Amino acid sequence: DMGVGEITSIGGELVGEAGPDVWQADVLREVAKYCAKSEAARLNKLPDPGPFQMAVASGHGIGKSALVSWIILWFMSCRDDPLIKVTANTETQLNTTTWRELAVWHARILNKDWFTWTATKFYAKEHPETWFAAATPWSEEHPEAISGTHEKDVLVLMDEASGIPDVVWEYIDPAMTTPGAIWIAFGNPTRNTGRFFECFNRFKHRWTTFQIDSRTCKKADKATIRNWIEDYGEDSDFVRVRV
């Protein structure tokens, strides 16, 4: 809720930035609504509302990895002994993009001294064994590496989720039986089959969904997008998937 003036008064790398993009703010508001609903149920001793599951399909360059980082930092800062699992379509994407972006935003937060970032784990310095986020690669041969957990505060984040096989999703499903569990999947819509596709189709009633056009996003490379549209056509499958 900070205004531009407040952001610029802090100084540092974010001077001149106006805050989250519209789509990022919309996603965060949906998470906030769920948290308020879950907390109200707990305080009033009402049935748990069930897990929060969100899928975000988009073009390239919209700021997905930044938003993943913000969500991790929020959950780490505002939950006791949270368990966060972060994965991506490939180990390279996970390590060089998703997890690297977390290091960038960790360096910018006001409470950065609370946490330590390593190549595979992001943890609270005072509780390294119980308060952490883990960069978790998967394989179809050993999908249990990303298997669910039944801790009190669970967050699962997928980057480039369209490329993650169904068997991996099936190993995450049990974690969603934990009250207050949150599962958010981001990706380009590169496949017309699989669990990410079904978030917007057969299982849409279970998921809060967003479909983001890169042309509306302030951080997207507009020149490259214009070139793609010129080369392939606005109605081409390439542009529909990548933009």
Side-chain angles (χ1 to χ4, degrees), residues 3 6 45 48 69 73 100 125 130 135 143 171 199 201 225 236:
E6 292 173 279
K45 298 182 179 180
D48 181 78
S69 299
L73 293 169
R100 178 183 176 280
K125 292 179 180 179
T130 60
Y171 268 88
C199 292
N201 292 277
I225 290 172
S236 66

Side-chain angles (χ1 to χ4, degrees), residues 11 28 93 116 166 206-207:
L28 293 172
Q93 170 73 18
T116 296
D166 290 0
R206 303 289 184 202
W207 292 77

Side-chain angles (χ1 to χ4, degrees), residues 53-132:
Q53 299 182 160
M54 177 187 288
V56 181
S58 72
H60 287 290
I62 68 167
K64 295 191 302 290
S65 296
L67 182 57
V68 168
S69 299
W70 301 345
I71 292 170
I72 293 170
L73 293 169
W74 156 67
F75 208 81
M76 285 284 290
S77 300
C78 299
R79 295 290 187 275
D80 293 325
D81 295 324
L83 180 57
I84 304 169
K85 292 203 171 185
V86 186
T87 195
N89 60 328
T90 66
E91 190 168 355
T92 299
Q93 170 73 18
L94 176 62
N95 293 337
T96 65
T97 302
T98 314
W99 203 248
R100 178 183 176 280
E101 188 76 2
L102 176 61
V104 170
W105 286 97
H106 171 221
R108 292 171 173 165
I109 61 171
L110 297 180
N111 60 331
K112 63 184 177 183
D113 291 339
W114 296 5
F115 307 115
T116 296
W117 181 95
T118 73
T120 58
K121 190 176 180 181
F122 182 65
Y123 60 88
K125 292 179 180 179
E126 295 185 4
H127 305 276
E129 300 303 322
T130 60
W131 195 313
F132 65 89

Side-chain angles (χ1 to χ4, degrees), residues 155-173:
L155 171 65
V156 176
L157 293 165
M158 289 178 160
D159 197 4
E160 300 301 343
S162 186
I164 299 176
D166 290 0
V167 65
V168 177
W169 293 66
E170 291 164 6
Y171 268 88
I172 295 173
D173 281 328

Side-chain angles (χ1 to χ4, degrees), residues 185-199:
F186 297 87
N188 302 117
T190 55
R191 299 175 59 208
N192 61 4
T193 61
R195 284 285 296 267
F196 187 65
F197 175 80
E198 295 299 352
C199 292

Side-chain angles (χ1 to χ4, degrees), residues 60 223-233 238-239 242-243:
H60 287 290
T224 297
I225 290 172
R226 286 194 299 270
N227 290 339
W228 285 345
I229 292 172
E230 181 180 335
D231 293 344
Y232 296 99
F238 182 92
V239 171
R242 306 297 174 183
V243 181

